[in-house]
Amino acid sequence: MKTAGLIMAALLTLGACVTNTAGIYATSQGAVQQDGNALKRHVSLDGIKAYPDGGQLSGYATLRSHVAYDQHLQYRVTWYDANDNAIDGENMSWTPVTLHGFQHLQLKTTAPNRRASWFGLHVREIIAH
């Protein structure tokens, strides 16, 4: 019985560390995937585009709030080469952003090197534990 209690406590502890990965994912190639009903009703990600900028690619997308209150989000950009391999994938990090009520925010990015062909942008809610 003690073992079952310890296992349950360990599982609950690990569950508190889980990060919500549902969100919105869009690419500069036009693909859009939305997971989680609440976020897709409150936020949209559009106008995502990659463009040449001084010998390498840059990109942008517009993050739009559809609600009157602040939302605490985070986003991550991943650049890919022509073979759809992530470039510098181990250094991808999440960037926190507060999106105020009905705010439109342009997110900008620059490719890490000249091999980049396109990028993906993932946005998700920050869930306080």
Side-chain angles (χ1 to χ4, degrees), residues 1-103:
M1 197 63 161
K2 280 186 176 181
T3 305
L6 289 174
I7 291 172
M8 188 61 139
L11 289 174
L12 290 173
T13 302
L14 289 174
C17 298
V18 173
T19 303
N20 179 18
T21 58
I24 301 169
Y25 179 76
T27 72
S28 59
Q29 295 179 318
V32 177
Q33 177 183 338
Q34 298 183 352
D35 300 320
N37 275 341
L39 187 60
K40 70 181 179 183
R41 285 192 311 260
H42 300 163
V43 175
S44 64
L45 185 60
D46 46 53
I48 187 167
K49 177 174 265 190
Y51 60 93
D53 185 18
Q56 67 188 61
L57 290 178
S58 288
Y60 62 88
T62 302
L63 187 60
R64 298 180 192 276
S65 170
H66 301 289
V67 294
Y69 52 85
D70 290 356
Q71 297 177 80
H72 302 286
L73 309 169
Q74 54 189 350
Y75 68 93
R76 179 172 66 187
V77 177
T78 306
W79 283 92
Y80 298 89
D81 65 17
N83 295 319
D84 298 336
N85 295 314
I87 298 172
D88 203 20
E90 66 276 358
N91 291 325
M92 297 179 304
S93 61
W94 291 94
T95 302
V97 63
T98 298
L99 189 61
H100 302 291
F102 299 111
Q103 180 182 15

